[in-house]
Amino acid sequence: IRKETPKGPVTILKAERGAFIGNVSVFLEHSSVRTYTAVATEDVQLGVLDSQLLSMENAKLSHEFKRIIKSLDKRLAQCSNRAVEIHMKKKKSMEFLKDKSRVITQGEQKEGFFIVEEGSASVVRKVDTNHVLLATIRENDFFGKVPFLNISHEPGAASIFASEDFKFKELPVKELLEEYNSLSTTMKNFLENSSNMISAITSGICSGEKDL
């Protein structure tokens, strides 16, 4: 999986057998701008998904669940961009912490799952003595403990630092979990694939940050 840059393509991840290529939210919006390029490194056999069936399934989802899917894709895109910045030796200043207060602390056992209504916040992992920016969340983005996915971010492996105007509301975890459990196996696997990509790219970001 590669990202295009002015200095040429940067490989951010290797997709193995069973991985999905594409964005989940394409089935919500019926159009999508690719955020990365997939290049075969050996002979590859691709399976084609039934896009009509998946679009019909997504059309039945609740408004809240659709927002989670879109936000998951945005989190993946932002992590991919951070990976490129690390590769190109662009060290972030600490501006992403300026005038922000901590609302979730890395490693704490916080069960809440929330959606941003106003303001912005930085998703930050502390590695040794360094604070590493992973993503920036804004209106309609989720944060907190996702009840059905593990993206290896907050609360267990990242903190959330929010702006002064940050407002959010708690999401109905029980209802969302029931909705997730009713999804097709294909849709569940697609979401899990995006989650695994975020987790893997995040590991690369943190490893690369140490070398800057």
Side-chain angles (χ1 to χ4, degrees):
I1 305 298
R2 296 178 179 173
K3 292 281 290 185
E4 302 300 325
T5 76
K7 296 183 178 180
V10 173
T11 299
I12 59 172
L13 194 67
K14 184 175 182 181
E16 302 285 353
R17 181 178 180 179
F20 288 79
I21 297 174
N23 300 330
V24 188
S25 57
V26 68
F27 302 112
L28 297 174
E29 301 170 349
H30 304 291
S31 64
S32 180
V33 177
R34 295 292 186 195
T35 57
Y36 59 78
T37 300
V39 179
T41 57
E42 54 186 76
D43 290 340
V44 174
Q45 183 175 356
L46 297 177
V48 180
L49 298 173
D50 189 332
S51 59
Q52 183 176 0
L53 193 63
L54 287 169
S55 293
M56 290 173 60
E57 180 177 11
N58 277 270
K60 298 176 183 178
L61 296 175
S62 67
H63 174 66
E64 299 292 13
F65 208 97
K66 288 177 180 178
R67 289 206 288 180
I68 292 168
I69 290 176
K70 291 179 182 178
S71 181
L72 186 70
D73 267 358
K74 285 169 64 178
R75 184 85 67 112
L76 174 56
Q78 288 206 17
C79 286
S80 300
N81 291 337
R82 285 292 293 124
V84 170
E85 289 176 348
I86 295 293
H87 180 86
M88 298 180 72
K89 307 299 182 183
K90 291 184 178 179
K91 189 173 180 64
K92 280 281 185 184
S93 70
M94 299 301 287
E95 285 293 313
F96 57 83
L97 294 180
K98 185 178 180 181
D99 298 326
K100 288 185 170 66
S101 57
R102 194 194 309 259
V103 294
I104 290 181
T105 300
Q106 179 175 327
E108 70 178 345
Q109 299 299 313
K110 192 164 186 174
E111 295 294 326
F113 188 39
F114 312 94
I115 198 87
V116 180
E117 294 188 312
E118 190 176 323
S120 64
S122 300
V123 183
V124 179
R125 179 180 292 183
K126 189 174 183 181
V127 181
D128 298 328
T129 59
N130 296 326
H131 286 87
V132 182
L133 177 66
L134 305 178
T136 301
I137 55 174
R138 295 182 172 84
E139 183 180 356
N140 290 323
D141 287 330
F142 69 77
F143 71 98
K145 187 173 182 179
V146 186
F148 41 80
L149 294 172
N150 180 16
I151 62 175
S152 299
H153 282 191
E154 77 283 352
S159 297
I160 301 293
F161 291 87
S163 59
E164 292 182 1
D165 60 344
F166 193 64
K167 294 181 180 179
F168 59 92
K169 71 174 183 178
E170 190 163 6
L171 290 168
V173 171
K174 182 180 178 181
E175 288 82 353
L176 290 171
L177 187 55
E178 289 175 352
E179 191 168 7
Y180 173 79
N181 289 333
S182 69
L183 296 177
S184 66
T185 300
T186 300
M187 192 61 195
K188 287 180 181 176
N189 289 342
F190 215 141
L191 293 172
E192 185 177 348
N193 181 79
S194 295
S195 173
N196 290 340
M197 288 180 70
I198 291 171
S199 181
I201 293 171
T202 296
S203 295
I205 292 170
C206 295
S207 297
E209 183 83 11
K210 290 181 179 180
D211 299 329
L212 291 183

